[in-house]
Amino acid sequence: MNAVVILLVGCAILIAGYVFYGKWLAEQWGVDPNRTTPAHELEDGNDYVPAKAPVLMGHHFSSIAGAGPINGPIQAAVFGWVPVMLWVLIGGIFFGAVHDFGALFASVRNKGQSIGEVIAESIGPRAKKLFLTFSYLTLILVVAAFASIVANTFKATYDEAGVLDKVASSANASTAMISILFILIAIVFGMMVYRRNASLVVSTVIGVAAIVLCMVVGYNWHPIYLSGTTWMIIVGIYIAIASVTPVWILLQPRDYLSSFLLYGMMIIAVVGIVGAHPTLSIPAFTGFIDKAEYGSGVSLGSLFPALFVTIACGAISGFHSLVGSGTTAKQLDKEGDARPIAYGGMLIECALALISLCAVGYIWSEYVPGGITTPTAVFATGIARMCATIPFLAGAENVIYSMLILAVSAFCLTSLDTATRLARYMFQEFWLEPGQTHKDATGFKAIVTNPYVATIITVALGIALGMTGYAKIWALFGAANQLLAALGLLAVAAWLGTMGKNNKMFLFPMAFMLIVTIVSLCQTIMTNFNTAMAGTGETVWCWIRAGIGTLLVILAIVLAVEGVQTIAGKKKAAK
């Protein structure tokens, strides 16, 4: 199949989904552009701050994107391009975008509070506690993983004698310097736009030019060479500060400017795909069972449920509901902005997933035998090589490759401090009653819900886990993330039912994702149980993974039963 056909047909379907289905959803739910949003009603200069639609789109998209829509489709490509493309399109339009749009809308109508509070209102306080506990633990895992990824991207290389190898460390030091300069640029951008009322257009042009300048400076001047452990500590300090800093100083401007890196990365990719217009060697369908010899050499198992858990962010992701209801809802200027930001943002991510599919398909002959298997390297290599076939880009392969790797690293850092802020919200909400803020708490609750205390606890747990082995339980993250999506769909469906609005568009996606995650978790539990009993692997960690998986299954069933009872009860009441 020609890569251009995959990309153009896929994007046309995504646009049609946004125009027709997205508009229909807004009408069904009663999205009102004239209604006052929490960003205005509760504006506090810290978390609740109205943001211009392009700025908030930048924050939201940068936070949800990360490396997810790159990693997932590339790993799932072992089933062939047809299953991946179908799930990205169907899942994106009818599952993921509905989930993201619904979560943001429900949060906006609940004073910008998290999905946990939406669950408390529509299902009950016990369900809220269970959801917040699970969400917080998942976010701690995200913080641990992304902090480790960022630290490994920045760290210096030392030889066996402990002597710094500057040549081998140069690329990482360059990435670290560019990232530091980028943060400084974002702070200046925020000050100019939000305190000096500078023109957004003019500031954007200057900001993008400054990003290019800091990339040039970083590539040619990078004097900072530190170990991975040191970078982990620095990253921990950074995310702790970023979590409590007013959003207009760092979060909004940095994520807005970061989005231009992602847009630029996607434009370069489209130019490469259209310019090279290659016929991909990837099979249309390889079978219902993954061939273990493909790619990394580790089998994903059967197409169901592996395809739907592996692609994750490229079609639907529970993490998105936490972003939408955690930070985006507190900055939404008008309800009318919710559809382009949430529904549209998810579909742009689907487009990135299709680009990733084209990238792995282009170097399929090297991916299959295990020559190039790291998803980010697969993506950067495939796109860079396609660009290099275009006459005016010939010889630019290495530069384009480096730019793509840098962009992915920037989004890991973006998702990292967003996840930290979200985890802080979750931790605070766990101890508070509906409608309370940390200012209303007394005694012990006043201490643990203090933003600074909640942040320190969150960062300490995340960084400690990142240093001591988050990878041991990372295998559960895919299913846990999709379980979050199922619970997010459940929460919004129940809430819409209590509001007397149409929630039928949530019922099948909710049921399907619950089945997918429960089947996937049961497979993981059995695999780890059998390995532990056989004594052929890390027995302790196998038991831990099996135990966590069992708890997740129980959580899913309990919340599903309570949610379904709520939805059914509201229907009976309506009748």
Side-chain angles (χ1 to χ4, degrees), residues 186-549:
I187 293 173
V188 173
F189 180 91
M191 293 294 295
M192 294 302 297
V193 172
Y194 288 99
R195 286 298 177 267
R196 300 295 181 183
N197 295 317
S199 166
L200 179 61
V201 174
V202 174
S203 299
T204 299
V205 172
I206 296 174
V208 172
I211 292 174
V212 175
L213 178 61
C214 80
M215 290 175 68
V216 174
V217 172
Y219 275 122
N220 293 281
W221 182 68
H222 37 265
I224 303 175
Y225 294 85
L226 302 172
S227 67
T229 300
T230 302
W231 275 119
M232 281 289 283
I233 295 172
I234 293 174
V235 167
I237 294 172
Y238 164 74
I239 61 177
I241 295 173
S243 175
V244 294
T245 299
V247 292
W248 64 267
I249 292 178
L250 182 59
L251 189 74
Q252 287 181 354
R254 196 231 29 240
D255 290 359
Y256 173 64
L257 292 176
S258 290
S259 67
F260 285 94
L261 281 176
L262 184 52
Y263 301 146
M265 179 177 74
M266 293 181 69
I267 291 171
I268 290 172
V270 171
V271 169
I273 292 171
V274 174
H277 53 274
T279 298
L280 305 179
S281 56
I282 181 175
F285 181 58
T286 62
F288 288 98
I289 303 297
D290 169 30
K291 295 178 174 60
E293 66 269 20
Y294 280 10
S296 64
V298 178
S299 176
L300 297 177
S302 58
L303 186 143
F304 182 89
L307 178 76
F308 310 100
V309 173
T310 304
I311 291 180
C313 299
I316 180 171
S317 167
F319 180 63
H320 296 187
S321 68
L322 302 185
V323 174
S325 69
T327 55
T328 307
K330 294 177 175 64
Q331 303 170 58
L332 194 72
D333 185 39
K334 297 180 294 185
E335 275 195 5
D337 295 337
R339 179 163 72 109
I341 290 171
Y343 197 92
M346 180 64 235
L347 297 189
I348 295 175
E349 195 162 359
C350 292
L352 180 56
L354 294 177
I355 290 172
S356 302
L357 177 61
C358 294
V360 68
Y362 188 68
I363 62 167
W364 186 250
S365 60
E366 293 178 68
Y367 180 73
V368 169
I372 304 175
T373 59
T374 304
T376 50
V378 171
F379 178 83
T381 301
I383 299 302
R385 288 185 184 176
M386 279 190 271
C387 290
T389 65
I390 304 172
F392 65 87
L393 290 177
E397 181 177 335
N398 290 335
V399 174
I400 293 174
Y401 179 92
S402 298
M403 288 178 61
L404 295 175
I405 292 293
L406 174 64
V408 174
S409 298
F411 293 116
C412 286
L413 189 59
T414 297
S415 297
L416 173 62
D417 56 24
T418 298
T420 307
R421 186 178 285 262
L422 292 173
R424 189 252 293 178
Y425 292 155
M426 295 289 176
F427 188 85
Q428 290 175 288
E429 283 187 17
F430 180 87
W431 302 100
L432 298 173
E433 299 301 321
Q436 276 192 328
T437 68
H438 71 276
K439 296 178 182 179
D440 302 318
T442 58
F444 171 75
K445 290 184 178 181
I447 297 174
V448 295
T449 59
N450 179 281
Y452 300 102
V453 174
T455 297
I456 291 171
I457 293 172
T458 299
V459 172
L461 290 173
I463 296 299
L465 181 59
M467 288 183 172
T468 58
Y470 77 92
K472 304 293 185 182
I473 54 176
W474 182 250
L476 289 167
F477 176 74
N481 184 52
Q482 300 307 74
L483 177 55
L484 262 180
L487 298 179
L489 290 165
L490 174 68
V492 180
W495 175 77
L496 284 171
T498 64
M499 297 294 104
K501 297 182 182 294
N502 185 4
N503 64 359
K504 293 183 178 63
M505 68 288 294
F506 285 90
L507 302 184
F508 178 76
M510 174 192 71
F512 182 79
M513 295 311 299
L514 278 172
I515 293 170
V516 163
T517 51
I518 289 175
V519 171
S520 177
L521 285 168
C522 287
Q523 290 179 347
T524 301
I525 293 167
M526 290 306 300
T527 298
N528 281 279
F529 177 78
N530 292 335
T531 303
M533 292 300 292
T536 57
E538 296 178 312
T539 304
V540 174
W541 282 107
C542 285
W543 283 118
I544 291 175
R545 285 191 289 266
I548 294 174

Side-chain angles (χ1 to χ4, degrees), residues 8-289:
L8 293 183
V9 171
C11 288
I13 293 173
L14 293 173
I15 291 171
Y18 175 80
V19 172
F20 297 107
Y21 195 58
K23 181 181 179 182
W24 179 77
L25 291 174
E27 292 172 348
Q28 291 295 304
W29 301 342
V31 174
D32 183 2
N34 297 317
R35 187 185 179 104
T36 302
T37 62
H40 291 283
E41 181 184 356
L42 304 172
E43 184 173 0
D44 61 5
N46 189 41
D47 294 324
Y48 289 84
V49 179
K52 297 179 175 65
V55 175
L56 187 55
M57 178 65 170
H59 156 68
H60 184 80
F61 188 41
S62 296
S63 298
I64 67 172
I70 294 174
N71 291 5
I74 288 174
Q75 292 174 324
V78 293
F79 293 111
W81 68 266
V82 170
V84 173
M85 184 175 182
L86 286 176
W87 177 236
V88 167
L89 296 178
I90 296 172
I93 293 172
F94 299 104
F95 287 64
V98 174
H99 165 269
D100 292 13
F101 189 12
L104 175 57
F105 178 66
S107 178
V108 168
R109 287 295 178 91
N110 282 271
K111 299 185 180 297
Q113 297 185 91
S114 75
I115 289 295
E117 289 298 331
V118 175
I119 288 177
E121 178 182 331
S122 56
I123 300 178
R126 185 178 70 170
K128 169 198 170 182
K129 296 290 187 182
L130 291 173
F131 179 82
L132 289 178
T133 300
F134 172 62
S135 299
Y136 184 74
L137 294 176
T138 302
L139 287 169
I140 290 296
L141 188 58
V142 172
V143 171
F146 279 39
S148 181
I149 291 171
V150 171
N152 285 329
T153 305
F154 292 173
K155 72 177 183 180
T157 301
Y158 297 86
D159 61 21
E160 295 180 355
V163 178
L164 173 66
D165 186 342
K166 277 201 170 186
V167 176
S169 305
S170 179
N172 283 8
S174 176
T175 302
M177 178 54 64
I178 293 171
S179 299
I180 293 171
L181 294 174
F182 186 82
I183 291 171
L184 297 177
I185 290 171
I187 293 173
V188 173
F189 180 91
M191 293 294 295
M192 294 302 297
V193 172
Y194 288 99
R195 286 298 177 267
R196 300 295 181 183
N197 295 317
S199 166
L200 179 61
V201 174
V202 174
S203 299
T204 299
V205 172
I206 296 174
V208 172
I211 292 174
V212 175
L213 178 61
C214 80
M215 290 175 68
V216 174
V217 172
Y219 275 122
N220 293 281
W221 182 68
H222 37 265
I224 303 175
Y225 294 85
L226 302 172
S227 67
T229 300
T230 302
W231 275 119
M232 281 289 283
I233 295 172
I234 293 174
V235 167
I237 294 172
Y238 164 74
I239 61 177
I241 295 173
S243 175
V244 294
T245 299
V247 292
W248 64 267
I249 292 178
L250 182 59
L251 189 74
Q252 287 181 354
R254 196 231 29 240
D255 290 359
Y256 173 64
L257 292 176
S258 290
S259 67
F260 285 94
L261 281 176
L262 184 52
Y263 301 146
M265 179 177 74
M266 293 181 69
I267 291 171
I268 290 172
V270 171
V271 169
I273 292 171
V274 174
H277 53 274
T279 298
L280 305 179
S281 56
I282 181 175
F285 181 58
T286 62
F288 288 98
I289 303 297

